[in-house]
Amino acid sequence: MSQQLIKVPPTKNTLLRLKRQVTFLEAGHDLLERKRDLLTRLVYERIGQYRRLRQQVETMLEHAYRCLSVAQMRMGGRSIHQAALGVEPALSISIVPRRSLGIEYPAVRAERIQLKPLGLLGTDISFDTTREMLAEATVLLAQLGEVEIALHRLMEEQRKAQKLVNALKYNIIPRYERTIRFIQSSLEEEERNALFQVKLLRERAETG
């Protein structure tokens, strides 16, 4: 039992101080529970968003590589490589930090740049179609990367909040409460002993 108590002197001042601290810890526990619940809701929202984007990316990449296979059959790998050397960027990407509930993660913004067709330079139309599809897939991949990193950090923060909630609920607050009861019991025992001693002194004074 002594190992489960806080090592403090069993005095009235200590009792008052521990009661104030328990009130503070209970308020912190309530705040952490609300934060944990909010993080849990955000995690489930991000999971749904992640699954939708992942499905879109897989579908888009499947179509893009199928079109690339057609272009390779029609043009040959060497021609595709030479044509790709003169291709201008298809995307403009910016990455800035973003915060949510104190959690920082990168916000990725990918914008399409209008592609200039290369069909007139001896390439097949399937080459331009492949470029369009890969550009669209890259936009989705940028969004997917942002969601995946945010999801990972939200889950990590949610686990931390859950650990703190459990520690407060099952360990720290109960330990304070046991100590408070112990001190109250000790003070009450001291008070009873004092009253008993006063009673004995009065009885002796009366008989003497």
Side-chain angles (χ1 to χ4, degrees), residues 15-65:
L15 182 63
L16 292 173
R17 177 168 56 84
L18 291 180
K19 284 183 175 180
R20 288 195 298 268
Q21 289 175 344
V22 164
T23 301
F24 175 77
L25 289 170
E26 288 174 342
H29 173 267
D30 292 341
L31 285 173
L32 279 169
E33 273 197 327
R34 288 199 288 270
K35 180 180 180 180
R36 178 205 60 192
D37 293 342
L38 180 56
L39 285 168
T40 301
R41 182 172 61 82
L42 290 175
V43 164
Y44 279 109
E45 289 177 0
R46 288 285 184 173
I47 287 174
Q49 189 179 5
Y50 172 80
R51 287 173 176 169
R52 289 191 298 271
L53 277 171
R54 187 179 177 89
Q55 182 61 47
Q56 292 175 16
V57 166
E58 289 176 353
T59 301
M60 183 62 70
L61 286 175
E62 182 181 351
H63 292 163
Y65 279 107

Tab-separated table of all heavy atoms in Angstrom, residues 15-65:
chain	number	residue	atom	x	y	z
A	15	LEU	N	-2.703	17.994	2.527
A	15	LEU	CA	-4.024	17.544	2.087
A	15	LEU	C	-4.676	18.565	1.160
A	15	LEU	O	-5.205	18.212	0.099
A	15	LEU	CB	-4.912	17.290	3.306
A	15	LEU	CG	-6.319	16.758	3.027
A	15	LEU	CD1	-6.253	15.390	2.358
A	15	LEU	CD2	-7.128	16.693	4.316
A	16	LEU	N	-4.622	19.829	1.536
A	16	LEU	CA	-5.209	20.885	0.707
A	16	LEU	C	-4.495	20.986	-0.640
A	16	LEU	O	-5.128	21.151	-1.685
A	16	LEU	CB	-5.150	22.225	1.443
A	16	LEU	CG	-6.038	22.351	2.684
A	16	LEU	CD1	-5.756	23.662	3.414
A	16	LEU	CD2	-7.511	22.271	2.290
A	17	ARG	N	-3.163	20.874	-0.585
A	17	ARG	CA	-2.383	20.963	-1.826
A	17	ARG	C	-2.706	19.805	-2.762
A	17	ARG	O	-2.882	19.991	-3.968
A	17	ARG	CB	-0.887	20.986	-1.499
A	17	ARG	CG	0.021	21.015	-2.717
A	17	ARG	CD	1.456	21.328	-2.325
A	17	ARG	NE	1.964	20.384	-1.345
A	17	ARG	CZ	2.480	19.190	-1.653
A	17	ARG	NH1	2.526	18.794	-2.915
A	17	ARG	NH2	2.947	18.400	-0.716
A	18	LEU	N	-2.802	18.593	-2.228
A	18	LEU	CA	-3.116	17.434	-3.063
A	18	LEU	C	-4.515	17.524	-3.656
A	18	LEU	O	-4.734	17.124	-4.799
A	18	LEU	CB	-2.980	16.145	-2.246
A	18	LEU	CG	-1.558	15.738	-1.832
A	18	LEU	CD1	-1.600	14.450	-1.023
A	18	LEU	CD2	-0.667	15.568	-3.054
A	19	LYS	N	-5.448	18.051	-2.894
A	19	LYS	CA	-6.814	18.202	-3.416
A	19	LYS	C	-6.848	19.181	-4.588
A	19	LYS	O	-7.559	18.957	-5.579
A	19	LYS	CB	-7.753	18.671	-2.307
A	19	LYS	CG	-8.127	17.571	-1.320
A	19	LYS	CD	-9.123	18.082	-0.290
A	19	LYS	CE	-9.592	16.954	0.622
A	19	LYS	NZ	-10.566	17.417	1.627
A	20	ARG	N	-6.078	20.274	-4.458
A	20	ARG	CA	-5.995	21.225	-5.575
A	20	ARG	C	-5.360	20.564	-6.801
A	20	ARG	O	-5.804	20.772	-7.942
A	20	ARG	CB	-5.195	22.465	-5.165
A	20	ARG	CG	-5.915	23.384	-4.212
A	20	ARG	CD	-5.227	24.738	-4.132
A	20	ARG	NE	-3.859	24.617	-3.632
A	20	ARG	CZ	-3.515	24.718	-2.350
A	20	ARG	NH1	-4.452	24.934	-1.435
A	20	ARG	NH2	-2.260	24.609	-1.983
A	21	GLN	N	-4.327	19.772	-6.568
A	21	GLN	CA	-3.653	19.098	-7.679
A	21	GLN	C	-4.560	18.069	-8.350
A	21	GLN	O	-4.536	17.921	-9.579
A	21	GLN	CB	-2.371	18.432	-7.178
A	21	GLN	CG	-1.284	19.422	-6.811
A	21	GLN	CD	-0.069	18.768	-6.194
A	21	GLN	OE1	-0.120	17.618	-5.768
A	21	GLN	NE2	1.040	19.498	-6.118
A	22	VAL	N	-5.369	17.358	-7.572
A	22	VAL	CA	-6.309	16.394	-8.149
A	22	VAL	C	-7.329	17.103	-9.024
A	22	VAL	O	-7.669	16.627	-10.110
A	22	VAL	CB	-7.009	15.583	-7.034
A	22	VAL	CG1	-8.241	14.881	-7.578
A	22	VAL	CG2	-6.056	14.551	-6.468
A	23	THR	N	-7.822	18.237	-8.552
A	23	THR	CA	-8.766	19.013	-9.363
A	23	THR	C	-8.136	19.415	-10.696
A	23	THR	O	-8.761	19.321	-11.758
A	23	THR	CB	-9.212	20.278	-8.605
A	23	THR	OG1	-9.829	19.883	-7.371
A	23	THR	CG2	-10.211	21.085	-9.424
A	24	PHE	N	-6.873	19.844	-10.633
A	24	PHE	CA	-6.143	20.224	-11.851
A	24	PHE	C	-5.945	19.015	-12.771
A	24	PHE	O	-6.145	19.106	-13.987
A	24	PHE	CB	-4.791	20.819	-11.463
A	24	PHE	CG	-3.898	21.131	-12.628
A	24	PHE	CD1	-4.110	22.252	-13.414
A	24	PHE	CD2	-2.836	20.289	-12.952
A	24	PHE	CE1	-3.287	22.529	-14.498
A	24	PHE	CE2	-2.018	20.556	-14.030
A	24	PHE	CZ	-2.245	21.684	-14.801
A	25	LEU	N	-5.576	17.866	-12.185
A	25	LEU	CA	-5.357	16.654	-12.983
A	25	LEU	C	-6.653	16.174	-13.628
A	25	LEU	O	-6.648	15.713	-14.778
A	25	LEU	CB	-4.768	15.550	-12.101
A	25	LEU	CG	-3.314	15.748	-11.652
A	25	LEU	CD1	-2.937	14.717	-10.598
A	25	LEU	CD2	-2.365	15.666	-12.836
A	26	GLU	N	-7.760	16.262	-12.911
A	26	GLU	CA	-9.052	15.845	-13.474
A	26	GLU	C	-9.463	16.746	-14.636
A	26	GLU	O	-9.998	16.264	-15.639
A	26	GLU	CB	-10.114	15.847	-12.378
A	26	GLU	CG	-9.952	14.707	-11.387
A	26	GLU	CD	-10.914	14.800	-10.216
A	26	GLU	OE1	-11.455	15.901	-9.983
A	26	GLU	OE2	-11.115	13.782	-9.533
A	27	ALA	N	-9.184	18.043	-14.498
A	27	ALA	CA	-9.473	18.962	-15.610
A	27	ALA	C	-8.595	18.634	-16.816
A	27	ALA	O	-9.060	18.634	-17.964
A	27	ALA	CB	-9.246	20.404	-15.165
A	28	GLY	N	-7.302	18.327	-16.555
A	28	GLY	CA	-6.407	17.937	-17.639
A	28	GLY	C	-6.845	16.645	-18.296
A	28	GLY	O	-6.763	16.504	-19.522
A	29	HIS	N	-7.331	15.707	-17.482
A	29	HIS	CA	-7.833	14.440	-18.017
A	29	HIS	C	-9.009	14.666	-18.951
A	29	HIS	O	-9.103	14.072	-20.029
A	29	HIS	CB	-8.231	13.524	-16.862
A	29	HIS	CG	-8.916	12.268	-17.289
A	29	HIS	ND1	-10.290	12.167	-17.362
A	29	HIS	CD2	-8.420	11.068	-17.706
A	29	HIS	CE1	-10.606	10.954	-17.781
A	29	HIS	NE2	-9.496	10.269	-17.995
A	30	ASP	N	-9.933	15.555	-18.556
A	30	ASP	CA	-11.102	15.851	-19.395
A	30	ASP	C	-10.685	16.489	-20.719
A	30	ASP	O	-11.219	16.146	-21.784
A	30	ASP	CB	-12.067	16.771	-18.649
A	30	ASP	CG	-12.718	16.078	-17.454
A	30	ASP	OD1	-12.704	14.837	-17.416
A	30	ASP	OD2	-13.219	16.792	-16.558
A	31	LEU	N	-9.717	17.411	-20.652
A	31	LEU	CA	-9.228	18.055	-21.878
A	31	LEU	C	-8.568	17.041	-22.807
A	31	LEU	O	-8.776	17.057	-24.026
A	31	LEU	CB	-8.245	19.174	-21.529
A	31	LEU	CG	-8.836	20.463	-20.969
A	31	LEU	CD1	-7.735	21.408	-20.508
A	31	LEU	CD2	-9.720	21.150	-22.012
A	32	LEU	N	-7.761	16.162	-22.215
A	32	LEU	CA	-7.080	15.142	-23.013
A	32	LEU	C	-8.079	14.168	-23.636
A	32	LEU	O	-7.879	13.719	-24.770
A	32	LEU	CB	-6.079	14.375	-22.159
A	32	LEU	CG	-4.723	15.053	-21.941
A	32	LEU	CD1	-3.930	14.318	-20.879
A	32	LEU	CD2	-3.942	15.115	-23.253
A	33	GLU	N	-9.132	13.837	-22.919
A	33	GLU	CA	-10.165	12.962	-23.477
A	33	GLU	C	-10.830	13.614	-24.686
A	33	GLU	O	-11.077	12.949	-25.695
A	33	GLU	CB	-11.210	12.626	-22.411
A	33	GLU	CG	-10.875	11.419	-21.563
A	33	GLU	CD	-12.078	10.895	-20.823
A	33	GLU	OE1	-12.946	11.703	-20.441
A	33	GLU	OE2	-12.155	9.659	-20.628
A	34	ARG	N	-11.120	14.907	-24.569
A	34	ARG	CA	-11.740	15.612	-25.702
A	34	ARG	C	-10.775	15.670	-26.888
A	34	ARG	O	-11.190	15.496	-28.046
A	34	ARG	CB	-12.169	17.015	-25.288
A	34	ARG	CG	-13.374	17.032	-24.360
A	34	ARG	CD	-14.031	18.393	-24.348
A	34	ARG	NE	-13.220	19.366	-23.648
A	34	ARG	CZ	-13.307	19.610	-22.341
A	34	ARG	NH1	-14.153	18.921	-21.594
A	34	ARG	NH2	-12.548	20.530	-21.771
A	35	LYS	N	-9.491	15.929	-26.594
A	35	LYS	CA	-8.492	15.954	-27.667
A	35	LYS	C	-8.381	14.586	-28.323
A	35	LYS	O	-8.328	14.474	-29.556
A	35	LYS	CB	-7.144	16.387	-27.111
A	35	LYS	CG	-6.047	16.448	-28.185
A	35	LYS	CD	-4.717	16.879	-27.607
A	35	LYS	CE	-3.642	16.928	-28.692
A	35	LYS	NZ	-2.327	17.356	-28.169
A	36	ARG	N	-8.335	13.524	-27.502
A	36	ARG	CA	-8.245	12.161	-28.041
A	36	ARG	C	-9.441	11.845	-28.923
A	36	ARG	O	-9.296	11.281	-30.016
A	36	ARG	CB	-8.178	11.160	-26.897
A	36	ARG	CG	-8.130	9.699	-27.338
A	36	ARG	CD	-8.657	8.794	-26.263
A	36	ARG	NE	-10.040	9.114	-25.928
A	36	ARG	CZ	-10.681	8.640	-24.864
A	36	ARG	NH1	-10.046	7.850	-24.017
A	36	ARG	NH2	-11.939	8.967	-24.634
A	37	ASP	N	-10.647	12.212	-28.479
A	37	ASP	CA	-11.854	11.932	-29.265
A	37	ASP	C	-11.834	12.691	-30.585
A	37	ASP	O	-12.229	12.147	-31.630
A	37	ASP	CB	-13.108	12.299	-28.462
A	37	ASP	CG	-13.297	11.401	-27.244
A	37	ASP	OD1	-12.682	10.323	-27.214
A	37	ASP	OD2	-14.045	11.789	-26.330
A	38	LEU	N	-11.370	13.946	-30.539
A	38	LEU	CA	-11.286	14.737	-31.771
A	38	LEU	C	-10.247	14.147	-32.716
A	38	LEU	O	-10.486	14.045	-33.928
A	38	LEU	CB	-10.936	16.184	-31.432
A	38	LEU	CG	-10.811	17.162	-32.616
A	38	LEU	CD1	-12.095	17.171	-33.448
A	38	LEU	CD2	-10.490	18.565	-32.129
A	39	LEU	N	-9.106	13.745	-32.178
A	39	LEU	CA	-8.070	13.124	-33.004
A	39	LEU	C	-8.570	11.821	-33.613
A	39	LEU	O	-8.285	11.528	-34.778
A	39	LEU	CB	-6.822	12.856	-32.162
A	39	LEU	CG	-5.960	14.074	-31.816
A	39	LEU	CD1	-4.933	13.711	-30.752
A	39	LEU	CD2	-5.258	14.613	-33.056
A	40	THR	N	-9.316	11.046	-32.846
A	40	THR	CA	-9.857	9.788	-33.361
A	40	THR	C	-10.792	10.055	-34.530
A	40	THR	O	-10.748	9.353	-35.558
A	40	THR	CB	-10.609	9.036	-32.247
A	40	THR	OG1	-9.701	8.778	-31.164
A	40	THR	CG2	-11.152	7.708	-32.761
A	41	ARG	N	-11.635	11.080	-34.389
A	41	ARG	CA	-12.550	11.424	-35.489
A	41	ARG	C	-11.781	11.869	-36.729
A	41	ARG	O	-12.100	11.450	-37.861
A	41	ARG	CB	-13.507	12.530	-35.039
A	41	ARG	CG	-14.539	12.928	-36.094
A	41	ARG	CD	-15.570	13.874	-35.519
A	41	ARG	NE	-14.979	15.101	-35.050
A	41	ARG	CZ	-14.682	16.136	-35.844
A	41	ARG	NH1	-14.907	16.065	-37.155
A	41	ARG	NH2	-14.170	17.241	-35.350
A	42	LEU	N	-10.732	12.683	-36.535
A	42	LEU	CA	-9.922	13.135	-37.667
A	42	LEU	C	-9.195	11.973	-38.330
A	42	LEU	O	-9.050	11.942	-39.555
A	42	LEU	CB	-8.911	14.188	-37.200
A	42	LEU	CG	-9.472	15.546	-36.791
A	42	LEU	CD1	-8.375	16.438	-36.232
A	42	LEU	CD2	-10.155	16.235	-37.968
A	43	VAL	N	-8.729	11.017	-37.517
A	43	VAL	CA	-8.042	9.844	-38.070
A	43	VAL	C	-8.979	9.067	-38.982
A	43	VAL	O	-8.604	8.680	-40.105
A	43	VAL	CB	-7.514	8.932	-36.932
A	43	VAL	CG1	-7.158	7.551	-37.471
A	43	VAL	CG2	-6.285	9.557	-36.286
A	44	TYR	N	-10.216	8.835	-38.534
A	44	TYR	CA	-11.159	8.085	-39.358
A	44	TYR	C	-11.516	8.850	-40.634
A	44	TYR	O	-11.687	8.254	-41.708
A	44	TYR	CB	-12.421	7.757	-38.559
A	44	TYR	CG	-12.256	6.555	-37.664
A	44	TYR	CD1	-12.180	6.688	-36.282
A	44	TYR	CD2	-12.147	5.278	-38.201
A	44	TYR	CE1	-12.006	5.577	-35.460
A	44	TYR	CE2	-11.982	4.161	-37.392
A	44	TYR	CZ	-11.909	4.322	-36.020
A	44	TYR	OH	-11.740	3.226	-35.223
A	45	GLU	N	-11.607	10.180	-40.525
A	45	GLU	CA	-11.871	10.979	-41.731
A	45	GLU	C	-10.718	10.850	-42.722
A	45	GLU	O	-10.935	10.700	-43.932
A	45	GLU	CB	-12.084	12.444	-41.348
A	45	GLU	CG	-13.405	12.712	-40.630
A	45	GLU	CD	-13.537	14.164	-40.215
A	45	GLU	OE1	-12.590	14.953	-40.485
A	45	GLU	OE2	-14.568	14.517	-39.633
A	46	ARG	N	-9.496	10.937	-42.216
A	46	ARG	CA	-8.313	10.831	-43.082
A	46	ARG	C	-8.185	9.433	-43.688
A	46	ARG	O	-7.739	9.289	-44.822
A	46	ARG	CB	-7.049	11.168	-42.286
A	46	ARG	CG	-6.906	12.640	-41.948
A	46	ARG	CD	-6.488	13.440	-43.145
A	46	ARG	NE	-6.254	14.832	-42.823
A	46	ARG	CZ	-5.748	15.725	-43.659
A	46	ARG	NH1	-5.427	15.354	-44.889
A	46	ARG	NH2	-5.587	16.971	-43.306
A	47	ILE	N	-8.555	8.405	-42.913
A	47	ILE	CA	-8.497	7.046	-43.446
A	47	ILE	C	-9.427	6.915	-44.647
A	47	ILE	O	-9.058	6.339	-45.685
A	47	ILE	CB	-8.868	6.016	-42.359
A	47	ILE	CG1	-7.719	5.882	-41.351
A	47	ILE	CG2	-9.162	4.649	-42.980
A	47	ILE	CD1	-8.037	5.000	-40.169
A	48	GLY	N	-10.646	7.466	-44.536
A	48	GLY	CA	-11.577	7.427	-45.665
A	48	GLY	C	-11.038	8.183	-46.868
A	48	GLY	O	-11.127	7.707	-48.009
A	49	GLN	N	-10.459	9.358	-46.606
A	49	GLN	CA	-9.872	10.158	-47.686
A	49	GLN	C	-8.698	9.427	-48.327
A	49	GLN	O	-8.548	9.419	-49.563
A	49	GLN	CB	-9.418	11.504	-47.112
A	49	GLN	CG	-8.993	12.527	-48.149
A	49	GLN	CD	-8.574	13.837	-47.510
A	49	GLN	OE1	-8.504	13.954	-46.274
A	49	GLN	NE2	-8.277	14.827	-48.330
A	50	TYR	N	-7.857	8.804	-47.497
A	50	TYR	CA	-6.694	8.065	-47.999
A	50	TYR	C	-7.127	6.914	-48.893
A	50	TYR	O	-6.542	6.711	-49.974
A	50	TYR	CB	-5.876	7.541	-46.823
A	50	TYR	CG	-4.759	6.612	-47.220
A	50	TYR	CD1	-3.558	7.113	-47.710
A	50	TYR	CD2	-4.904	5.232	-47.108
A	50	TYR	CE1	-2.530	6.256	-48.076
A	50	TYR	CE2	-3.890	4.377	-47.468
A	50	TYR	CZ	-2.701	4.888	-47.954
A	50	TYR	OH	-1.692	4.037	-48.328
A	51	ARG	N	-8.140	6.168	-48.493
A	51	ARG	CA	-8.598	5.028	-49.290
A	51	ARG	C	-9.164	5.474	-50.634
A	51	ARG	O	-8.916	4.841	-51.667
A	51	ARG	CB	-9.645	4.243	-48.504
A	51	ARG	CG	-9.057	3.433	-47.349
A	51	ARG	CD	-10.142	2.802	-46.506
A	51	ARG	NE	-9.575	1.958	-45.459
A	51	ARG	CZ	-10.275	1.450	-44.458
A	51	ARG	NH1	-11.582	1.696	-44.369
A	51	ARG	NH2	-9.689	0.695	-43.542
A	52	ARG	N	-9.930	6.567	-50.621
A	52	ARG	CA	-10.499	7.071	-51.884
A	52	ARG	C	-9.397	7.519	-52.839
A	52	ARG	O	-9.422	7.185	-54.033
A	52	ARG	CB	-11.463	8.222	-51.602
A	52	ARG	CG	-12.768	7.795	-50.946
A	52	ARG	CD	-13.780	8.926	-50.939
A	52	ARG	NE	-13.310	10.064	-50.174
A	52	ARG	CZ	-13.508	10.223	-48.865
A	52	ARG	NH1	-14.146	9.292	-48.180
A	52	ARG	NH2	-13.075	11.297	-48.240
A	53	LEU	N	-8.420	8.283	-52.308
A	53	LEU	CA	-7.337	8.775	-53.157
A	53	LEU	C	-6.475	7.625	-53.664
A	53	LEU	O	-6.055	7.628	-54.839
A	53	LEU	CB	-6.460	9.764	-52.373
A	53	LEU	CG	-6.960	11.200	-52.297
A	53	LEU	CD1	-6.122	12.004	-51.322
A	53	LEU	CD2	-6.920	11.858	-53.676
A	54	ARG	N	-6.216	6.660	-52.827
A	54	ARG	CA	-5.395	5.521	-53.244
A	54	ARG	C	-6.064	4.756	-54.385
A	54	ARG	O	-5.403	4.356	-55.353
A	54	ARG	CB	-5.149	4.586	-52.049
A	54	ARG	CG	-4.168	3.460	-52.369
A	54	ARG	CD	-3.936	2.575	-51.156
A	54	ARG	NE	-3.057	1.470	-51.490
A	54	ARG	CZ	-1.743	1.501	-51.409
A	54	ARG	NH1	-1.133	2.588	-50.991
A	54	ARG	NH2	-1.010	0.441	-51.732
A	55	GLN	N	-7.373	4.586	-54.285
A	55	GLN	CA	-8.099	3.907	-55.351
A	55	GLN	C	-8.035	4.697	-56.650
A	55	GLN	O	-7.840	4.138	-57.739
A	55	GLN	CB	-9.564	3.687	-54.936
A	55	GLN	CG	-10.405	2.949	-55.954
A	55	GLN	CD	-9.876	1.554	-56.227
A	55	GLN	OE1	-9.565	0.806	-55.299
A	55	GLN	NE2	-9.758	1.188	-57.486
A	56	GLN	N	-8.182	6.024	-56.539
A	56	GLN	CA	-8.107	6.880	-57.732
A	56	GLN	C	-6.723	6.816	-58.358
A	56	GLN	O	-6.591	6.768	-59.586
A	56	GLN	CB	-8.460	8.318	-57.361
A	56	GLN	CG	-9.916	8.524	-56.959
A	56	GLN	CD	-10.175	9.946	-56.483
A	56	GLN	OE1	-9.379	10.858	-56.715
A	56	GLN	NE2	-11.296	10.134	-55.794
A	57	VAL	N	-5.686	6.852	-57.512
A	57	VAL	CA	-4.307	6.802	-58.024
A	57	VAL	C	-4.053	5.480	-58.736
A	57	VAL	O	-3.475	5.451	-59.844
A	57	VAL	CB	-3.298	6.989	-56.867
A	57	VAL	CG1	-1.884	6.605	-57.310
A	57	VAL	CG2	-3.308	8.426	-56.383
A	58	GLU	N	-4.466	4.383	-58.139
A	58	GLU	CA	-4.249	3.072	-58.752
A	58	GLU	C	-4.949	2.968	-60.098
A	58	GLU	O	-4.386	2.448	-61.073
A	58	GLU	CB	-4.735	1.970	-57.804
A	58	GLU	CG	-3.847	1.796	-56.577
A	58	GLU	CD	-4.400	0.760	-55.612
A	58	GLU	OE1	-5.532	0.275	-55.838
A	58	GLU	OE2	-3.698	0.430	-54.626
A	59	THR	N	-6.187	3.486	-60.161
A	59	THR	CA	-6.937	3.452	-61.426
A	59	THR	C	-6.259	4.305	-62.488
A	59	THR	O	-6.097	3.880	-63.647
A	59	THR	CB	-8.380	3.933	-61.199
A	59	THR	OG1	-9.009	3.096	-60.227
A	59	THR	CG2	-9.185	3.884	-62.490
A	60	MET	N	-5.850	5.520	-62.103
A	60	MET	CA	-5.224	6.428	-63.063
A	60	MET	C	-3.889	5.879	-63.560
A	60	MET	O	-3.576	5.936	-64.755
A	60	MET	CB	-5.022	7.799	-62.413
A	60	MET	CG	-4.433	8.859	-63.341
A	60	MET	SD	-5.498	9.217	-64.775
A	60	MET	CE	-6.857	10.075	-63.954
A	61	LEU	N	-3.078	5.333	-62.650
A	61	LEU	CA	-1.788	4.773	-63.059
A	61	LEU	C	-1.967	3.546	-63.962
A	61	LEU	O	-1.194	3.342	-64.907
A	61	LEU	CB	-0.961	4.396	-61.836
A	61	LEU	CG	-0.342	5.561	-61.061
A	61	LEU	CD1	0.348	5.055	-59.796
A	61	LEU	CD2	0.658	6.331	-61.927
A	62	GLU	N	-2.984	2.749	-63.662
A	62	GLU	CA	-3.248	1.589	-64.509
A	62	GLU	C	-3.551	2.018	-65.941
A	62	GLU	O	-3.023	1.460	-66.911
A	62	GLU	CB	-4.424	0.799	-63.935
A	62	GLU	CG	-4.748	-0.469	-64.712
A	62	GLU	CD	-5.942	-1.217	-64.137
A	62	GLU	OE1	-6.412	-0.839	-63.040
A	62	GLU	OE2	-6.408	-2.172	-64.786
A	63	HIS	N	-4.390	3.050	-66.098
A	63	HIS	CA	-4.728	3.558	-67.436
A	63	HIS	C	-3.506	4.185	-68.098
A	63	HIS	O	-3.291	4.011	-69.311
A	63	HIS	CB	-5.859	4.584	-67.335
A	63	HIS	CG	-7.162	3.983	-66.915
A	63	HIS	ND1	-8.209	4.742	-66.428
A	63	HIS	CD2	-7.603	2.698	-66.912
A	63	HIS	CE1	-9.226	3.941	-66.142
A	63	HIS	NE2	-8.877	2.705	-66.435
A	64	ALA	N	-2.717	4.934	-67.299
A	64	ALA	CA	-1.558	5.617	-67.861
A	64	ALA	C	-0.526	4.618	-68.385
A	64	ALA	O	0.024	4.780	-69.483
A	64	ALA	CB	-0.924	6.527	-66.807
A	65	TYR	N	-0.253	3.559	-67.633
A	65	TYR	CA	0.745	2.575	-68.064
A	65	TYR	C	0.232	1.722	-69.222
A	65	TYR	O	1.012	1.261	-70.053
A	65	TYR	CB	1.159	1.702	-66.887
A	65	TYR	CG	2.188	2.385	-66.008
A	65	TYR	CD1	1.840	2.879	-64.748
A	65	TYR	CD2	3.500	2.551	-66.445
A	65	TYR	CE1	2.784	3.520	-63.953
A	65	TYR	CE2	4.447	3.179	-65.656
A	65	TYR	CZ	4.073	3.670	-64.414
A	65	TYR	OH	5.011	4.309	-63.635
